[in-house]
Amino acid sequence: MQQHQLLALELEGIVALTLHSATQTLTVLIERAAGAQVVDTLREALRERRQVLKTEARQLRQDWQESETLRARKEKPRPNQPLADAPPAS
């Protein structure tokens, strides 16, 4: 979604940038050529952020699958192993 907006802004021609901090806002007028450079930088930042999120999601899935596998192993008694409440064999 953001990449589509960036493309639309780039095609129209960016004429200003507004920067926000926690306490301040600054708008800077720029030339069209500088706008194209800004869009390229933002596009790359978005691509990198998506890659980080994909990596995090992949790690979370792997962690979840491992925990589910461990949980299933703990719940399932092993063969040739007496159940906890079964009387010992004589």
Side-chain angles (χ1 to χ4, degrees):
M1 178 68 169
Q2 288 175 328
Q3 285 200 340
H4 294 295
Q5 289 174 316
L6 277 175
L7 178 60
L9 287 170
E10 184 178 20
L11 291 173
E12 188 174 323
I14 296 174
V15 295
L17 296 172
T18 301
L19 307 170
H20 298 272
S21 74
T23 59
Q24 299 179 30
T25 300
L26 173 66
T27 298
V28 180
L29 299 176
I30 60 171
E31 296 292 324
R32 273 182 92 121
Q37 293 172 348
V38 169
V39 168
D40 288 341
T41 301
L42 291 173
R43 193 177 289 124
E44 183 61 30
L46 285 171
R47 190 177 5 261
E48 289 173 7
R49 181 66 181 141
R50 269 198 322 271
Q51 188 59 43
V52 167
L53 290 172
K54 284 180 183 179
T55 301
E56 288 175 2
R58 189 174 19 252
Q59 185 62 49
L60 286 171
R61 271 193 308 274
Q62 182 178 346
D63 291 349
W64 177 80
Q65 288 171 340
E66 289 173 2
S67 69
E68 288 296 303
T69 300
L70 288 173
R71 186 178 59 78
R73 285 182 188 163
K74 287 179 182 178
E75 291 177 358
K76 184 173 130 182
R78 293 183 186 159
N80 301 330
Q81 193 174 29
L83 295 175
D85 45 343
S90 307

